[in-house]
Amino acid sequence: MQYRTIADTTVSAIGLGAMPLSIEHRPDETRAIATIHAALDAGVTLIDTADSYHWHADEAGHNELLIARALARYGGDTSGVLVATKGGRGRPGDGSWAVTATPAHLKQAAEASAKRLGVEAIGLYQLHKPDPAVPWAESVGALRELLDAGTIRAAGISNVTTAQIREAHGIVGDGLVSVQNQYSPAVRDSEAELQLSTQLGLAFLPWSPLGGISRSSLDGLSGSTSAGTAFHRIADDRGVSPQQVALAWLLARSPAVIPVPGASRPASITDSARATDLKLSTEELMRLEGGLPG
């Protein structure tokens, strides 16, 4: 496993996106915990979650509680594991995703998340998505207040534009340490946000990093997986999975990038973690630059 940094915290260069363990079509708890333990065994020290990663309306925080149980049952040392959670979204139970990022909600949500995770202060707390009904500065200001109160140790923002990153950085200052946007071989709309994050010294955590290689659970389970792309051909040449090639390509985009691929089976996260050992050549990176049709 290779390592990167989020502010002054060292974490594995590949994290675990734990969402598939708690939403629709989730595995049973035995397999879910085995998946988290497999991640830890592979050297993963960053686990990404959110209070809204659940299925039914009455089980908010399902994923956070699951992670807390998995860490408690792990036989090894977990003191170096950073659990990054998020607040500001909800799930009414009908399959949809709501957005509520009022300061009052974010403060209450952060306190509830800390309790579920069993920590005095959340290592990294991220505002899940801008709320169109709430001024951005007010939502971000709540992160500043949570930092000042000691409820969280570091703050992040997700699903944001460059303008929102700059404004948040101006409000939160050094307490802002990460940006989490969708970014993958198939979806590169956040290139500007990635470059700005790199310039500002913020970690960039791509969600759904395997888009175009395998589908994200958030994107739904229907639809075909791309095949026969440059990513697949290089994987075949190297004798590795296309997923590893996609993650290695992401890592090569910037030293700020720390992908958090989702997994619902131990084998999936074990395979993803191996991507840090795959060094793509300049020629291979040029082939991949053209995207999935390349």
Side-chain angles (χ1 to χ4, degrees):
M1 176 59 69
Q2 303 296 318
Y3 295 88
R4 293 192 168 182
T5 58
I6 300 179
D8 57 357
T9 301
T10 299
V11 297
S12 54
I14 298 290
L16 169 65
M19 181 180 70
L21 302 176
S22 290
I23 63 168
E24 292 87 336
H25 309 287
R26 64 194 181 202
D28 61 38
E29 181 159 320
T30 298
R31 195 176 92 187
I33 289 180
T35 300
I36 297 171
H37 287 177
L40 300 174
D41 289 343
V44 171
T45 60
L46 172 64
I47 301 176
D48 179 75
T49 183
D51 60 2
S52 58
Y53 291 170
H54 60 89
W55 184 352
H56 307 292
D58 61 349
E59 56 177 18
H62 182 281
N63 201 237
E64 294 171 325
L65 290 168
L66 175 69
I67 291 167
R69 288 195 296 274
L71 292 176
R73 297 176 192 176
Y74 187 62
D77 180 17
T78 61
S79 61
V81 175
L82 174 63
V83 178
T85 192
K86 297 182 285 293
R89 300 203 75 176
R91 301 209 72 195
D94 60 359
S96 66
W97 296 75
V99 181
T100 306
T102 62
H105 174 82
L106 290 172
K107 293 173 192 175
Q108 182 181 37
E111 291 169 359
S113 289
K115 183 176 181 179
R116 285 189 290 263
L117 292 170
V119 297
E120 292 184 4
I122 297 171
L124 173 57
Y125 191 70
Q126 303 159 96
L127 199 165
H128 206 154
K129 188 175 184 179
D131 185 340
V134 179
W136 179 238
E138 291 185 13
S139 296
V140 175
L143 295 180
R144 177 73 267 172
E145 292 182 28
L146 287 166
L147 284 164
D148 293 341
T151 308
I152 67 176
R153 293 195 175 96
I157 50 179
S158 183
N159 299 301
V160 289
T161 65
T162 54
Q164 289 167 333
I165 293 172
R166 291 186 186 280
E167 186 173 0
H169 191 255
I171 294 170
V172 183
D174 292 341
L176 184 71
V177 302
S178 67
V179 170
Q180 188 172 47
N181 276 16
Q182 184 176 19
Y183 191 86
S184 69
V187 181
R188 307 188 189 185
D189 297 345
S190 284
E191 185 67 39
E193 288 75 21
L194 166 58
Q195 296 305 320
L196 178 58
S197 297
T198 303
Q199 294 167 17
L200 295 175
L202 307 175
F204 187 85
L205 316 178
W207 64 263
S208 194
L210 299 176
I213 305 300
S214 67
R215 295 182 63 81
S216 162
S217 295
L218 185 60
D219 296 332
L221 298 176
S222 62
S224 60
T225 298
S226 299
T229 69
F231 289 87
H232 292 79
R233 288 191 286 274
I234 289 173
D236 188 57
D237 292 342
R238 289 293 204 102
V240 299
S241 69
Q243 288 81 7
Q244 283 189 42
V245 176
L247 293 171
W249 171 79
L250 282 165
L251 291 171
R253 303 298 288 175
S254 164
V257 171
I258 305 172
V260 286
S264 61
R265 298 180 298 117
S268 297
I269 188 57
T270 299
D271 181 71
S272 290
R274 294 192 184 110
T276 64
D277 298 324
L278 179 61
K279 303 303 177 187
L280 298 171
S281 68
T282 301
E283 186 272 336
E284 287 172 327
L285 290 170
M286 289 178 64
R287 287 171 62 190
L288 297 173
E289 187 63 29
L292 290 176

